[in-house]
Amino acid sequence: MPKGLGVEEQVFGGEHHSGRVARPLWTAIKRGLLGRCPHCGEGKLFYAFTKSVDKCSVCGEELHHHRADDLPAYLVIVIVGHIVVGAFMGVEATSTLTLWQHALIWVPLTFGLAVALLQPVKGAVIGLQWALYMHGFGGEKDELEPHSQA
C-alpha cells in the first residue's frame, strides 16, 4: 500500500504494534501441550492434573494469572466429538455390531480421549495466552470495560 497517501498498512497479530517483543506463538503452544513452561520450556506447567503452577520453577515466569476457564473443555469436546463420531460412522458403515458392542467400544474411548486430552489442551491454551500477552501476561492488570447505558 502506498505510504505517500497517508494510509498505513494494517497487520493483524503479533506484537509489532505495541512495542513489546513478539513471543513465539507456536513454540509456546507446543510447550504448553507438553506440560512445560511456555517461556523456557523446562519447568513443569502443572502440579496436579489440571492445576497449573503459580510460577515456573526454572525461569520464574509467573503463570498464576492465566484465564483458561472453560475453553480447554470446549476444545476437548470438539476434538473428541469429531474423532468418536467419525470413527463410529466409519465402523457402522463397514460392520454389523450390536448396540452393546458399540457401547463397549465408544463409551470408554470417549472418556479415555477426553481425560487424555484435557491437560495438554489446557497447557496449549495457557501457552497461547502467554504468547499473546493475554490476561496479565503482558504486565498490566485485566480490567473490565465499562458498558454504556444506551
Side-chain angles (χ1 to χ4, degrees), residues 87-123:
F88 169 79
M89 291 173 67
V91 169
E92 182 65 18
T94 60
S95 68
T96 56
L97 297 177
T98 67
L99 182 62
W100 283 107
Q101 289 171 322
H102 277 296
L104 289 173
I105 294 170
W106 306 115
V107 171
L109 182 65
T110 301
F111 283 115
L113 282 172
V115 170
L117 289 175
L118 190 56
Q119 188 183 52
V121 170
K122 183 171 183 174

Side-chain angles (χ1 to χ4, degrees), residues 44-109:
K44 288 186 176 184
L45 186 56
F46 298 99
Y47 69 88
F49 182 62
T50 58
K51 301 289 185 189
S52 63
V53 296
D54 289 337
K55 182 177 176 177
C56 177
S57 61
V58 176
C59 68
E61 180 74 27
E62 291 188 13
L63 302 166
H64 62 87
H65 36 62
H66 78 83
R67 296 281 314 266
D69 296 334
D70 293 334
L71 181 61
Y74 294 141
L75 293 175
V76 167
I77 289 169
V78 169
I79 294 167
V80 171
H82 279 80
I83 293 170
V84 171
V85 170
F88 169 79
M89 291 173 67
V91 169
E92 182 65 18
T94 60
S95 68
T96 56
L97 297 177
T98 67
L99 182 62
W100 283 107
Q101 289 171 322
H102 277 296
L104 289 173
I105 294 170
W106 306 115
V107 171
L109 182 65

Side-chain angles (χ1 to χ4, degrees), residues 125-137:
V125 169
I126 294 171
L128 172 82
Q129 291 176 351
W130 176 83
L132 298 179
Y133 291 92
M134 296 170 66
H135 305 299
F137 285 116

